[in-house]
Amino acid sequence: MTQRKTGWVNYWGWGSGDMLGAGAQAVITGWLFYFFTTFCSLSAAEAGLILGLPRLLEAITCPLIGYVSDNLRHTWIGRKIGRRKIFLIITIPLLPSFALIFVTGQTFVYYLVTFIFFEFLYTMFLIPWETLAAEMTKDYKEKAKFAGVRMLVAQTSAILASYLPTLIINSVGGKDSPNTFLIMAAIFGVIFSLVVLLVVLLTWERPYTEAEKQIQPAPLNLAAALLIPVNMFRDLFSTLRIRAFRQHLSIYLGGYISQDIFNTAFPIFVATVMFGATLVISQLMTTMYVAQLISVMIAIQVVIRTGPTVAYRIAIAFFSLALLLYLAFYVIHPSGFETALAGTDGNIFSALSSGQFNPSLVFWLFVPIILAGLGRGTLNFVPWSVYNYLPDVDEAATGQRREGIFAGVMTLVRKLAQSGAIIVTGWIIDLGGYVSPKAHPGKVIAQSPDAIHTIVLLLVAGPIVVMLLGLLLSWKFRLNATTHGVLMTEVERLRSGETQPQSEESRRIVEDLTGLRFDRLWGRKT
């Protein structure tokens, strides 16, 4: 079996998929809670439920799609179209439905149903797409390049998601109008379909071995169909036996849940504490995402040279410092800030010009958000740089390639955690006394001191606590370029029938990554 060569067109072709993967989430986590509570007459608790409930349904859809795509390999569809690509192709004409979520004047049920539909499409794309990089190459550095390109695309899409409202307002007017978000969602819906088409054209699935070509799958009968959920959840929970995967989940959830809390609370914080509306929020988020893009470029090298845990610790430090600065802003409440901000007329970048330069305004507008971006970019990159290597660790343990089920588990855990984070955050904001501008959608209204205290506490303490917990649980994570090289050598030896490690050091490394004794690797029960 000849391994196909990967090139930059393949890295960018596959990575372009994160224009949907991260772009949709940038719009959803950055704007949807704000959109619902500001323009749709929904309470913070209702908005949190709409954003959170669909993730609970994905407790079934995420692992199911991963399991089915893994098991389509020896079917007609898997061999002729692709067990991953069939899912991608189905989503292409349906993704523009993203815009339906941003139609104002609808009911709670309407927003919930349209969001559930899009989230299902998103999952149908995301899980099969995530497996492709792991299938296209076995090389550590090539996998790192795939992860790096993916994150560069992700941060570019986030910049677009944050700055499009500013561009739309400047082009068609309608400051603080809900039409801004409808136009943005329509643009993204078309982009999503185009990038999925690129992924289909510029990627490939793992080639068949000669032995696999001879496999004829048993026909699906009722008994086999009824066993699918049993087998699916068995595979689902079996991934948690892998020590490196459990540690990886700690990094993954610590980095992403902290950002879920921040994304939900930050627009409300800017509107109520910093007295900035849609334009200011858009420009601050754009600044943050530009800093995230720079952070990813640096993190690629840090992860390759030192491993993911060091990069994760650096990222926590930057993000935590940013949050503490926002706490300081709230406590100090810099005099003249509100007047100086109003003087920018919604264009915060004008504060950087020599004629209007105000050191205090520039510091509080840009320093915390840039630090947040530098931390968040690395927090985003680290878990997805590691993911591409986890099926290799699993192969050592089980003797199987299960990219799909790992992608399904990661997405499942992420969605469940995100659901809980958003629902609880929305509920706490509502409980704190936050009042949505129902009578005057689009207008910022004065909030009670208790409501503002609650928002500040969530914004600062929530992310820091979650990140530190992730750091604690992943402290001994040791998957890096060196240990991965040892692992792959042992996988090849196990595949050829060897039952003993090449050296005691190899035994220690592989047992540490898998969490299993060497005599139990490759699916052995002894």
Side-chain angles (χ1 to χ4, degrees):
M1 179 178 63
T2 303
Q3 183 74 31
R4 293 174 65 176
K5 297 291 185 182
T6 56
W8 283 107
V9 67
N10 307 116
Y11 298 140
W12 286 101
W14 178 79
S16 68
D18 223 18
M19 184 64 73
L20 167 54
Q25 289 306 306
V27 175
I28 290 167
T29 60
W31 288 116
L32 203 50
F33 187 90
Y34 175 77
F35 175 79
F36 283 153
T37 57
T38 306
F39 298 107
C40 300
S41 299
L42 296 176
S43 69
E46 289 173 327
L49 284 174
I50 292 171
L51 291 171
L53 287 177
R55 270 75 176 193
L56 298 179
L57 298 178
E58 288 165 1
I60 299 296
T61 58
C62 289
L64 180 61
I65 290 172
Y67 178 84
V68 170
S69 69
D70 274 349
N71 288 276
L72 282 178
R73 185 165 178 79
H74 299 298
T75 66
W76 180 89
I77 290 176
R79 290 181 173 178
K80 295 297 182 182
I81 301 176
R83 58 175 175 166
R84 317 297 188 191
K85 290 189 176 182
I86 183 61
F87 291 96
L88 274 57
I89 292 169
I90 291 171
T91 66
I92 290 174
L94 300 175
L95 287 168
S97 64
F98 186 56
L100 296 176
I101 305 171
F102 290 87
V103 177
T104 56
Q106 306 302 315
T107 65
F108 172 87
V109 173
Y110 170 88
Y111 293 120
L112 180 62
V113 170
T114 53
F115 189 56
I116 287 174
F117 179 71
F118 179 78
E119 281 290 299
F120 180 68
L121 292 179
Y122 177 81
T123 303
M124 279 185 64
F125 161 79
L126 190 69
I127 292 174
W129 169 73
E130 285 173 345
T131 68
L132 291 173
E135 294 203 18
M136 291 169 71
T137 182
K138 296 180 179 179
D139 183 81
Y140 184 93
K141 290 184 177 180
E142 288 184 356
K143 289 184 177 184
K145 290 176 182 177
F146 273 114
V149 169
R150 171 189 182 161
M151 284 296 107
L152 293 177
V153 172
Q155 301 312 316
T156 302
S157 68
I159 292 170
L160 184 61
S162 64
Y163 199 62
L164 257 181
T166 296
L167 292 177
I168 293 167
I169 289 171
N170 290 340
S171 300
V172 301
K175 184 178 180 181
D176 294 326
S177 166
N179 291 333
T180 298
F181 298 96
L182 178 60
I183 295 170
M184 175 179 65
I187 292 171
F188 265 108
V190 174
I191 292 174
F192 294 159
S193 292
L194 292 176
V195 297
V196 176
L197 180 61
L198 280 178
V199 172
V200 170
L201 295 175
L202 298 176
T203 62
W204 60 85
E205 299 180 14
R206 179 166 57 87
Y208 286 87
T209 64
E210 291 302 319
E212 286 177 319
K213 291 177 182 178
Q214 306 304 315
I215 295 176
Q216 295 298 321
L220 186 67
N221 53 42
L222 179 60
L226 292 175
L227 284 175
I228 287 177
V230 176
N231 295 331
M232 179 185 73
F233 281 102
R234 180 199 62 204
D235 286 353
L236 175 74
F237 288 107
S238 72
T239 61
L240 299 177
R241 295 173 58 223
I242 307 300
R243 176 182 291 156
F245 186 56
R246 297 195 303 270
Q247 294 169 327
H248 163 73
L249 286 178
S250 302
I251 293 175
Y252 182 42
L253 295 178
Y256 275 78
I257 294 177
S258 63
Q259 294 182 71
D260 291 332
I261 298 170
F262 180 89
N263 291 340
T264 303
F266 183 68
I268 307 297
F269 175 86
V270 174
T272 57
V273 178
M274 302 181 78
F275 300 100
T278 302
L279 272 174
V280 173
I281 297 168
S282 170
Q283 292 161 28
L284 285 172
M285 289 171 62
T286 300
T287 304
M288 179 178 69
Y289 287 129
V290 170
Q292 287 184 202
L293 179 63
I294 296 170
S295 176
V296 167
M297 295 177 184
I298 298 170
I300 293 171
Q301 295 302 317
V302 174
V303 169
I304 290 175
R305 294 174 184 273
T306 67
T309 51
V310 173
Y312 183 73
R313 293 165 192 170
I314 295 171
I316 287 177
F318 276 104
F319 196 15
S320 297
L321 180 56
L323 295 169
L324 292 174
L325 283 175
Y326 281 124
L327 176 62
F329 177 91
Y330 172 67
V331 172
I332 297 169
H333 197 73
S335 62
F337 178 86
E338 185 179 347
T339 302
L341 181 61
T344 66
D345 194 28
N347 179 16
I348 65 172
F349 300 117
S350 67
L352 298 171
S353 64
S354 57
Q356 301 183 40
F357 188 79
N358 181 320
S360 176
L361 180 65
V362 169
F363 178 87
W364 290 112
L365 281 178
F366 293 105
V367 172
I369 205 67
I370 288 172
L371 288 172
L374 292 175
R376 284 164 53 106
T378 301
L379 288 176
N380 287 334
F381 173 74
V382 167
W384 289 113
S385 70
V386 173
Y387 161 74
N388 289 334
Y389 312 115
L390 292 172
D392 299 331
V393 182
D394 180 62
E395 185 178 12
T398 66
Q400 303 176 54
R401 296 295 302 186
R402 302 191 298 170
E403 292 91 348
I405 197 66
F406 272 88
V409 173
M410 279 191 67
T411 305
L412 165 64
V413 172
R414 165 76 178 125
K415 295 290 187 179
L416 289 177
Q418 186 181 49
S419 171
I422 293 174
I423 289 175
V424 171
T425 300
W427 176 74
I428 292 175
I429 290 174
D430 200 56
L431 190 65
Y434 178 77
V435 180
S436 299
K438 294 184 179 182
H440 303 284
K443 302 298 182 183
V444 175
I445 63 175
Q447 302 292 334
S448 68
D450 285 344
I452 296 175
H453 292 337
T454 302
I455 293 165
V456 174
L457 181 63
L458 272 172
L459 181 79
V460 177
I464 291 176
V465 169
V466 172
M467 287 188 293
L468 291 178
L469 183 60
L471 177 63
L472 178 65
L473 294 175
S474 63
W475 190 260
K476 295 183 178 180
F477 186 65
R478 295 190 180 91
L479 180 58
N480 53 45
T482 301
T483 57
H484 181 264
V486 173
L487 173 76
M488 294 309 295
T489 298
E490 292 302 323
V491 166
E492 291 302 322
R493 297 179 76 255
L494 289 165
R495 183 179 290 115
S496 66
E498 295 286 346
T499 58
Q500 296 299 317
Q502 194 172 46
S503 66
E504 283 305 307
E505 177 67 8
S506 297
R507 178 196 297 274
R508 185 190 64 77
I509 289 173
V510 177
E511 288 184 347
D512 177 68
L513 293 176
T514 61
L516 301 174
R517 297 197 316 269
F518 202 92
D519 60 4
R520 294 181 63 85
L521 298 180
W522 212 249
R524 295 191 293 262
K525 303 298 183 181
T526 57

